């Protein structure tokens, strides 16, 4: 039997929302994904002319790390959680002021990147 908390937490993992999504889920996912994100960046070996799109950008930690380490020509992301897009937008506001950073709210079917 699934408890109310289990159902709530499952919904938060799928689509973080509200203060719990911003303060708990986002931070927990960042810590849980730090190794995978580092491996991803190492394997991508991005350069200044590359473009990076992250589907399910979460808090924007991977995009920020990519920009800091490699400053690709375009850093973009899409997420179904409006809360995570707001969080990532705040996190990447300095980069967006002078570089091509595009963050959007939507599902994978809304991708318009090529």
């Amino acid at each position: 039997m699934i408890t109310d908390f289990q159902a709530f937490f499952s919904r938060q993992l799928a689509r973080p929302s509200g203060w719990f999504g911003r303060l708990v889920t986002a931070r927990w996912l960042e810590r849980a994904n730090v190794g995978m994100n580092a491996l991803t960046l190492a394997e991508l070996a991005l350069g200044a002319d590359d473009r990076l799109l992250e589907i399910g950008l979460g808090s924007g930690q991977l995009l920020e790390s990519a920009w800091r380490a490699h400053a690709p020509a375009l850093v973009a992301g899409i997420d179904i959680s409006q809360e995570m897009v707001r969080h990532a937008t705040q996190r990447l506001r300095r980069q967006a002021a002078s570089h091509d950073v595009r963050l959007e709210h939507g599902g994978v079917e809304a991708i318009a990147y090529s």
Side-chain angles (χ1 to χ4, degrees), residues 16-19 22 57-60 79-93 103-105:
S17 61
W19 69 267
R22 183 177 56 255
L57 66 97
S59 67
D79 202 293
I80 61 172
S81 169
Q82 194 162 9
E83 188 64 45
M84 292 299 95
V85 174
R86 277 195 294 269
H87 187 80
T89 299
Q90 180 68 20
R91 177 182 216 141
L92 292 163
R93 71 187 180 286
L103 306 177
E104 297 183 20
H105 171 247

Side-chain angles (χ1 to χ4, degrees), residues 21-57:
R22 183 177 56 255
L23 298 175
V24 178
T25 308
R27 291 177 181 170
W28 182 80
L29 288 171
E30 278 187 9
R31 285 191 298 273
N33 292 329
V34 73
M36 180 177 58
N37 287 345
L39 178 61
T40 298
L41 287 178
E43 291 297 316
L44 286 174
L46 294 170
D49 295 328
D50 291 323
R51 300 180 300 164
L52 175 64
L53 168 63
E54 183 176 18
I55 300 168
L57 66 97

